[in-house]
Amino acid sequence: MVFALCNEIKLRRSEIDDYQVIETIYFGGGTPSILTVPALKFIIDTIYENYLVSDNVEITVEANPDDLTESYVKAIASTEVNRLSIGIQSFFDEDLKLMNRAHNANEASKSISLVKEYFDNFSIDLIYGIPGMSTDRWKENLKMALDTKAPHISSYALTVEPKTALASFVEKGIIAPVEDELAQEHFGILVDTMEQAGFEYYEFSNFGKQGYFSKNNTAYWQGKHYLGIGPSAHSYNGNERSWNINNNTKYIKALQENELPKEVEKLTTTDKYNEYVMTGLRTIWGVSLKKVENTFGITYKEYLLKQAKKHIEEHLLFLDDDTLSVTKKGKFLSDGIASDLFLLNLG
């Protein structure tokens, strides 16, 4: 798999212009912390050998707490990796057991203490809306997260994926289903707590101290181009979106034959408008009316304002000069609001 990844990195060099600089490298989308450090280093070296990489590049590795032994953290800190994203999810064992996580609460706390010895820049993930999690326990989770002094925290609502142990438990009535009302209550507590603690709420699921916004997250939500390497990975170049095959064996076989196992979708002007609206509304930067008009045309701007009118009246959106943004009241509903602003019948 590592050799296949590196071969894809080489084969896709032509997709990046010579003058384009790589600003962020992100190892995610699974459990990259199971990679040995030499394997990780081999992939990073392949990127440096084939692309122009910024001196201030952010290189993040997602990691599970149970993988973060002292020897592993020390070894990974000796590479170019300068940021870790730790999948804590909760500081309570009952939540972790319900989500079928491999680590326990003690390992969660220990992993953060260990990471802090070697990394200044790190993030922790938390899950809210967990069945049976009271608001008091959620507040305690947030307090424990803030006590770690993590400069960045990402938090997501629990979703039950099909064909998982959690889905089976819900179907059998062993675990209560996820409740939207509970998730929304937890979300409100999350936003208030993080803002009071001095975090900038720069994207729907992400909170960062100044200077610690994730470059990877920021680039994605600002519509910058990205190259996705590996099975199921998606890429975007402004005009096309592509995605790799989601079968590991077929992926490796294709790369062994120097073939790129991907499909490509050409984006229409309407596709690009819809994506800009969706990503813009999730961030502190909002949607620029001037950009909509200049990039997509006056028809799109007029349609956007027409569709936004009722949401502005309901105080879910607000218009500040040139920028359309989601209000605090509308943040939890931002994806639904965005879909109401989508345009479906233009080319």
Side-chain angles (χ1 to χ4, degrees):
M1 176 60 79
V2 171
F3 283 117
L5 292 171
C6 289
N7 199 27
E8 185 184 0
I9 289 168
K10 295 172 186 176
L11 291 175
R12 298 186 70 179
R13 174 65 186 88
S14 61
E15 297 180 32
I16 303 291
D17 293 327
D18 290 338
Y19 63 85
Q20 288 184 299
V21 179
I22 303 299
E23 299 173 343
T24 171
I25 300 168
Y26 194 94
F27 291 86
T31 314
S33 54
I34 66 170
L35 274 174
T36 64
V37 174
L40 192 67
K41 176 67 174 166
F42 184 67
I43 296 170
I44 293 171
D45 288 346
T46 302
I47 296 171
Y48 271 83
E49 289 164 7
N50 289 275
Y51 298 81
L52 185 62
V53 180
S54 168
D55 291 339
N56 295 316
V57 65
E58 174 190 272
I59 305 181
T60 303
V61 173
E62 288 186 357
N64 285 339
D66 44 300
D67 291 329
L68 294 176
T69 63
E70 183 166 10
S71 59
Y72 185 84
V73 174
K74 186 175 181 180
I76 206 170
S78 69
T79 70
E80 290 84 354
V81 174
N82 51 26
R83 184 176 183 270
L84 291 183
S85 177
I86 314 169
I88 298 297
Q89 317 309 355
S90 175
F91 289 97
F92 291 89
D93 283 329
E94 50 263 57
D95 299 331
L96 296 171
K97 287 176 182 176
L98 184 145
M99 292 185 287
N100 203 31
R101 303 298 299 182
H103 67 279
N104 58 41
N106 185 50
E107 287 174 318
S109 298
K110 277 188 173 180
S111 68
I112 296 173
S113 297
L114 186 57
V115 164
K116 286 169 65 176
E117 293 181 28
Y118 296 91
F119 289 88
D120 167 64
N121 193 359
F122 67 97
S123 177
I124 63 176
D125 286 357
L126 292 177
I127 300 290
Y128 60 87
I130 299 171
M133 178 191 276
S134 66
T135 54
D136 285 342
R137 190 155 88 228
W138 176 231
K139 289 176 182 177
E140 184 62 22
N141 246 323
L142 291 173
K143 180 182 181 302
M144 294 172 78
L146 293 172
D147 286 346
T148 69
K149 305 299 181 185
H152 188 280
I153 294 176
S154 297
S155 192
Y156 309 91
L158 178 68
T159 55
V160 180
E161 298 293 340
K163 300 179 181 178
T164 61
L166 185 56
S168 176
F169 291 154
V170 171
E171 288 168 10
K172 293 174 182 176
I174 299 171
I175 294 172
V178 176
E179 297 178 14
D180 287 343
E181 289 181 8
L182 177 66
Q184 188 164 0
E185 185 178 6
H186 285 181
F187 177 76
I189 294 168
L190 166 70
V191 175
D192 289 343
T193 302
M194 298 305 294
E195 289 182 342
Q196 288 169 14
F199 281 77
E200 190 103 27
Y201 185 27
Y202 72 98
E203 191 276 323
F204 180 76
S205 301
N206 291 283
F207 303 81
K209 293 283 190 178
Q210 275 299 326
Y212 289 95
F213 291 6
S214 165
K215 289 184 181 180
N216 177 78
N217 294 347
T218 301
Y220 177 79
W221 297 113
Q222 289 185 335
K224 293 186 178 181
H225 302 177
Y226 54 88
L227 198 63
I229 303 294
S232 298
H234 283 60
S235 302
Y236 171 73
N237 66 7
N239 294 310
E240 295 176 338
R241 187 172 299 286
S242 65
W243 55 94
N244 287 343
I245 193 169
N246 63 3
N247 181 289
N248 287 4
T249 303
K250 291 179 180 178
Y251 170 83
I252 292 171
K253 188 174 186 297
L255 266 304
Q256 287 173 338
E257 297 171 359
N258 291 324
E259 295 177 1
L260 291 173
K262 65 174 183 172
E263 293 184 49
V264 179
E265 174 192 14
K266 184 79 173 175
L267 299 175
T268 65
T269 301
T270 300
D271 290 333
K272 296 175 189 176
Y273 160 82
N274 289 342
E275 290 201 9
Y276 174 59
V277 169
M278 180 186 71
T279 55
L281 286 185
R282 290 180 63 102
T283 72
I284 58 172
W285 301 286
V287 174
S288 166
L289 298 182
K290 187 179 295 183
K291 180 174 179 177
V292 170
E293 182 175 351
N294 292 343
T295 306
F296 309 111
I298 187 67
T299 303
Y300 286 87
K301 177 184 173 182
E302 291 174 347
Y303 176 82
L304 174 62
L305 287 172
K306 176 187 170 189
Q307 292 299 105
K309 187 173 184 294
K310 67 175 182 180
H311 296 296
I312 293 172
E313 291 171 350
E314 293 172 0
H315 304 291
L316 299 175
L317 291 176
F318 69 95
L319 186 59
D320 181 14
D321 191 18
D322 172 65
T323 304
L324 187 67
S325 301
V326 179
T327 64
K328 190 171 185 179
K329 178 183 174 183
K331 283 188 185 296
F332 190 75
L333 307 171
S334 60
D335 285 348
I337 294 169
S339 67
D340 202 30
L341 305 181
F342 287 172
L343 202 153
L344 306 174
N345 58 358
L346 288 182

